[in-house]
Amino acid sequence: MVATNVKAETMSLMDKRAAIETEMNAIIERLSQPGGPGLLGNLVDSEGFPRTDIDIPVVRAERRRLAELRNDHKEITEKINQNIQILHAARLGNKSSPLKSSGNGDGSNSQTSSVVNAVASASSQNVPLSHSPSSMEVDVVVSIPFAMVDEIADASPAAEDGLQLGDQIVKFGNVEAGDNLLQRLASESQSNLGCAIPVAVMRQGALINLTVTPRTWQGRGLLGCHFRIL
Protein backbone atom coordinates (compact mmCIF):
# COMPACT_ATOMS: atom_id res chain seq x y z
CA MET A 1 0.00 0.00 0.00
CA VAL A 2 2.84 2.38 0.84
CA ALA A 3 4.52 1.68 -2.50
CA THR A 4 1.21 2.27 -4.31
CA ASN A 5 0.72 5.63 -2.60
CA VAL A 6 4.30 6.68 -3.31
CA LYS A 7 3.91 5.64 -6.93
CA ALA A 8 0.73 7.70 -7.29
CA GLU A 9 2.39 10.71 -5.67
CA THR A 10 5.41 10.34 -7.93
CA MET A 11 3.27 10.18 -11.05
CA SER A 12 1.49 13.36 -9.94
CA LEU A 13 4.83 15.07 -9.31
CA MET A 14 6.05 14.04 -12.74
CA ASP A 15 2.96 15.59 -14.32
CA LYS A 16 3.65 18.82 -12.43
CA ARG A 17 7.28 18.74 -13.49
CA ALA A 18 6.28 18.18 -17.11
CA ALA A 19 4.00 21.24 -16.94
CA ILE A 20 6.83 23.30 -15.46
CA GLU A 21 9.19 22.12 -18.19
CA THR A 22 6.68 23.07 -20.88
CA GLU A 23 6.44 26.60 -19.49
CA MET A 24 10.22 26.82 -19.08
CA ASN A 25 10.80 25.70 -22.66
CA ALA A 26 8.32 28.29 -23.95
CA ILE A 27 10.09 31.09 -22.06
CA ILE A 28 13.53 29.90 -23.21
CA GLU A 29 12.35 29.78 -26.80
CA ARG A 30 10.92 33.30 -26.64
CA LEU A 31 14.05 34.75 -25.06
CA SER A 32 16.36 32.88 -27.44
CA GLN A 33 14.63 33.76 -30.70
CA PRO A 34 16.71 35.65 -33.31
CA GLY A 35 17.37 39.16 -32.12
CA GLY A 36 16.23 38.31 -28.62
CA PRO A 37 18.19 39.02 -25.43
CA GLY A 38 18.77 35.36 -24.60
CA LEU A 39 18.79 34.11 -21.03
CA LEU A 40 21.65 36.33 -19.87
CA GLY A 41 22.09 38.93 -22.61
CA ASN A 42 22.49 42.61 -21.81
CA LEU A 43 19.43 44.82 -21.65
CA VAL A 44 21.44 47.94 -22.45
CA ASP A 45 23.27 48.91 -25.64
CA SER A 46 26.97 49.61 -26.09
CA GLU A 47 26.49 53.16 -24.79
CA GLY A 48 24.71 52.01 -21.65
CA PHE A 49 21.20 53.02 -22.69
CA PRO A 50 18.21 50.65 -22.44
CA ARG A 51 17.81 48.64 -25.62
CA THR A 52 14.97 49.84 -27.82
CA ASP A 53 14.63 46.62 -29.83
CA ILE A 54 13.18 44.60 -26.95
CA ASP A 55 10.47 45.02 -24.31
CA ILE A 56 12.69 45.22 -21.24
CA PRO A 57 9.94 44.87 -18.58
CA VAL A 58 8.65 41.75 -20.32
CA VAL A 59 12.15 40.27 -20.59
CA ARG A 60 12.82 40.92 -16.91
CA ALA A 61 9.50 39.37 -15.96
CA GLU A 62 10.17 36.28 -18.06
CA ARG A 63 13.65 35.85 -16.64
CA ARG A 64 12.26 36.19 -13.12
CA ARG A 65 9.55 33.65 -13.87
CA LEU A 66 12.13 31.27 -15.36
CA ALA A 67 14.20 31.48 -12.16
CA GLU A 68 11.10 30.65 -10.11
CA LEU A 69 10.27 27.70 -12.33
CA ARG A 70 13.85 26.40 -12.05
CA ASN A 71 13.59 26.43 -8.26
CA ASP A 72 10.25 24.62 -8.38
CA HIS A 73 11.66 22.11 -10.86
CA LYS A 74 14.63 21.40 -8.58
CA GLU A 75 12.41 20.85 -5.53
CA ILE A 76 10.06 18.53 -7.40
CA THR A 77 12.95 16.57 -8.91
CA GLU A 78 14.49 16.07 -5.46
CA LYS A 79 11.16 14.75 -4.17
CA ILE A 80 10.83 12.43 -7.17
CA ASN A 81 14.33 11.10 -6.50
CA GLN A 82 13.41 10.41 -2.88
CA ASN A 83 10.28 8.55 -3.97
CA ILE A 84 12.25 6.54 -6.51
CA GLN A 85 14.53 5.31 -3.73
CA ILE A 86 11.46 4.19 -1.80
CA LEU A 87 10.08 2.42 -4.87
CA HIS A 88 13.40 0.69 -5.48
CA ALA A 89 13.45 -0.50 -1.88
CA ALA A 90 9.89 -1.77 -2.22
CA ARG A 91 10.73 -3.57 -5.45
CA LEU A 92 13.72 -5.26 -3.84
CA GLY A 93 11.51 -6.23 -0.93
CA ASN A 94 8.99 -7.79 -3.29
CA LYS A 95 11.74 -9.77 -4.98
CA SER A 96 12.82 -11.22 -1.65
CA SER A 97 9.25 -12.11 -0.61
CA PRO A 98 7.87 -15.65 -0.94
CA LEU A 99 6.41 -16.53 -4.33
CA LYS A 100 2.90 -16.65 -2.92
CA SER A 101 3.07 -12.92 -2.26
CA SER A 102 2.81 -12.34 -6.00
CA GLY A 103 -0.89 -12.86 -5.72
CA ASN A 104 -1.53 -9.85 -3.47
CA GLY A 105 -4.43 -7.53 -4.14
CA ASP A 106 -2.56 -4.51 -5.50
CA GLY A 107 -0.64 -6.46 -8.13
CA SER A 108 2.61 -4.62 -7.30
CA ASN A 109 4.84 -7.57 -8.21
CA SER A 110 3.26 -8.02 -11.62
CA GLN A 111 3.55 -4.28 -12.21
CA THR A 112 7.23 -4.37 -11.31
CA SER A 113 7.74 -7.29 -13.68
CA SER A 114 6.02 -5.43 -16.50
CA VAL A 115 8.22 -2.40 -15.88
CA VAL A 116 11.39 -4.46 -16.06
CA ASN A 117 10.19 -6.21 -19.23
CA ALA A 118 9.28 -2.88 -20.81
CA VAL A 119 12.74 -1.48 -20.10
CA ALA A 120 14.44 -4.54 -21.57
CA SER A 121 12.22 -4.55 -24.65
CA ALA A 122 12.62 -0.84 -25.35
CA SER A 123 16.38 -0.98 -24.84
CA SER A 124 16.86 -3.92 -27.20
CA GLN A 125 14.72 -2.33 -29.91
CA ASN A 126 16.15 1.18 -29.45
CA VAL A 127 12.71 2.82 -29.49
CA PRO A 128 11.22 5.62 -27.36
CA LEU A 129 9.91 4.25 -24.08
CA SER A 130 6.67 6.15 -24.62
CA HIS A 131 5.73 3.39 -27.07
CA SER A 132 5.66 0.83 -24.27
CA PRO A 133 2.47 0.37 -22.21
CA SER A 134 4.23 1.13 -18.94
CA SER A 135 6.25 4.14 -20.05
CA MET A 136 5.38 6.36 -17.11
CA GLU A 137 6.23 3.52 -14.73
CA VAL A 138 9.56 3.18 -16.51
CA ASP A 139 10.21 6.91 -16.27
CA VAL A 140 9.78 6.75 -12.50
CA VAL A 141 12.33 3.97 -12.23
CA VAL A 142 15.06 4.77 -14.71
CA SER A 143 14.77 8.16 -16.43
CA ILE A 144 15.82 11.14 -14.33
CA PRO A 145 17.30 13.94 -16.48
CA PHE A 146 20.28 15.88 -15.10
CA ALA A 147 20.61 18.62 -17.72
CA MET A 148 18.58 20.47 -20.33
CA VAL A 149 19.51 21.89 -23.73
CA ASP A 150 18.60 25.56 -23.20
CA GLU A 151 20.48 27.00 -26.21
CA ILE A 152 21.28 25.45 -29.57
CA ALA A 153 22.68 27.06 -32.72
CA ASP A 154 21.33 26.47 -36.20
CA ALA A 155 23.50 24.20 -38.37
CA SER A 156 25.52 23.18 -35.31
CA PRO A 157 26.69 19.57 -34.79
CA ALA A 158 24.13 19.18 -32.00
CA ALA A 159 21.26 20.41 -34.19
CA GLU A 160 22.32 18.38 -37.22
CA ASP A 161 22.62 15.23 -35.11
CA GLY A 162 19.12 15.56 -33.68
CA LEU A 163 19.31 17.41 -30.38
CA GLN A 164 16.54 19.95 -29.88
CA LEU A 165 15.94 22.94 -27.64
CA GLY A 166 14.40 21.72 -24.40
CA ASP A 167 15.76 18.16 -24.63
CA GLN A 168 16.55 16.81 -21.17
CA ILE A 169 19.74 14.78 -20.93
CA VAL A 170 19.41 11.44 -19.14
CA LYS A 171 22.78 10.12 -20.29
CA PHE A 172 25.55 11.63 -22.40
CA GLY A 173 28.14 9.03 -23.25
CA ASN A 174 29.54 7.96 -19.88
CA VAL A 175 28.09 10.97 -18.07
CA GLU A 176 25.06 10.51 -15.86
CA ALA A 177 23.90 12.26 -12.71
CA GLY A 178 26.61 13.30 -10.27
CA ASP A 179 28.95 16.15 -9.43
CA ASN A 180 30.84 18.54 -11.74
CA LEU A 181 28.46 17.75 -14.59
CA LEU A 182 29.32 20.69 -16.84
CA GLN A 183 33.02 19.86 -16.66
CA ARG A 184 32.32 16.18 -17.30
CA LEU A 185 30.08 16.98 -20.28
CA ALA A 186 32.78 19.19 -21.78
CA SER A 187 35.44 16.54 -21.15
CA GLU A 188 33.27 13.85 -22.73
CA SER A 189 32.86 15.96 -25.87
CA GLN A 190 36.56 16.83 -26.11
CA SER A 191 37.73 13.25 -25.59
CA ASN A 192 35.34 12.03 -28.31
CA LEU A 193 36.18 14.56 -31.02
CA GLY A 194 34.99 13.08 -34.30
CA CYS A 195 33.43 10.05 -32.57
CA ALA A 196 29.71 9.40 -32.11
CA ILE A 197 28.51 9.70 -28.51
CA PRO A 198 25.35 7.82 -27.51
CA VAL A 199 22.89 10.19 -25.89
CA ALA A 200 19.58 9.47 -24.13
CA VAL A 201 17.14 12.38 -23.83
CA MET A 202 13.66 12.95 -22.53
CA ARG A 203 11.57 14.77 -25.14
CA GLN A 204 7.89 15.47 -24.51
CA GLY A 205 7.68 12.54 -22.11
CA ALA A 206 9.47 10.04 -24.38
CA LEU A 207 12.92 8.60 -23.80
CA ILE A 208 14.81 8.89 -27.09
CA ASN A 209 18.21 7.44 -28.01
CA LEU A 210 20.41 9.24 -30.52
CA THR A 211 24.10 9.88 -31.24
CA VAL A 212 25.94 13.19 -31.34
CA THR A 213 29.40 13.64 -32.86
CA PRO A 214 31.50 16.52 -31.44
CA ARG A 215 33.34 18.26 -34.27
CA THR A 216 34.70 21.60 -35.36
CA TRP A 217 32.31 23.83 -37.28
CA GLN A 218 31.88 27.53 -38.05
CA GLY A 219 30.46 28.33 -34.61
CA ARG A 220 31.72 28.03 -31.04
CA GLY A 221 32.48 24.80 -29.25
CA LEU A 222 32.32 21.26 -30.55
CA LEU A 223 28.55 20.86 -30.29
CA GLY A 224 27.09 24.35 -30.66
CA CYS A 225 24.67 23.98 -27.77
CA HIS A 226 24.52 24.85 -24.08
CA PHE A 227 23.51 22.52 -21.26
CA ARG A 228 21.84 23.78 -18.10
CA ILE A 229 22.16 21.50 -15.09
CA LEU A 230 18.80 20.67 -13.52
Side-chain angles (χ1 to χ4, degrees), residues 9-198:
E9 179 188 40
T10 304
M11 302 301 287
S12 176
L13 288 171
M14 292 186 71
D15 288 340
K16 291 180 180 178
R17 187 174 68 173
I20 289 175
E21 290 166 352
T22 298
E23 186 175 354
M24 289 173 63
N25 290 342
I27 293 175
I28 291 171
E29 186 172 356
R30 286 195 295 270
L31 293 176
S32 302
Q33 63 186 343
L39 304 184
L40 300 172
N42 290 330
L43 301 184
V44 296
D45 59 24
S46 59
E47 298 180 351
F49 293 100
R51 289 175 56 177
T52 59
D53 60 327
I54 58 176
D55 190 331
I56 293 180
V58 171
V59 171
R60 286 176 173 166
E62 295 224 293
R63 287 179 173 178
R64 183 169 56 251
R65 177 58 178 163
L66 184 59
E68 295 172 352
L69 291 170
R70 285 174 171 172
N71 290 333
D72 292 343
H73 188 278
K74 180 178 180 181
E75 292 178 2
I76 290 178
T77 297
E78 289 175 351
K79 179 59 177 176
I80 290 175
N81 289 338
Q82 293 173 3
N83 286 1
I84 287 174
Q85 293 179 5
I86 295 173
L87 291 172
H88 274 305
R91 184 176 62 176
L92 292 176
N94 288 337
K95 286 183 177 180
S96 63
S97 299
L99 290 178
K100 64 181 181 180
S101 67
S102 63
N104 57 26
D106 63 7
S108 59
N109 282 355
S110 61
Q111 287 183 351
T112 299
S113 176
S114 67
V115 169
V116 173
N117 291 338
V119 173
S121 174
S123 298
S124 63
Q125 298 177 24
N126 194 33
V127 298
L129 287 178
S130 63
H131 293 175
S132 68
S134 302
S135 62
M136 291 303 292
E137 301 275 355
V138 173
D139 289 343
V140 172
V141 177
V142 300
S143 303
I144 301 299
F146 64 84
M148 175 186 290
V149 179
D150 62 0
E151 292 183 21
I152 187 166
D154 294 337
S156 65
E160 291 183 349
D161 290 349
L163 276 180
Q164 296 181 11
L165 186 68
D167 279 352
Q168 298 171 17
I169 309 301
V170 176
K171 187 172 182 179
F172 185 88
N174 293 318
V175 180
E176 297 183 75
D179 298 325
N180 302 318
L181 287 169
L182 285 177
Q183 295 90 330
R184 290 164 59 196
L185 286 168
S187 176
E188 189 75 5
S189 296
Q190 293 167 1
S191 62
N192 286 279
L193 178 62
C195 301
I197 299 176

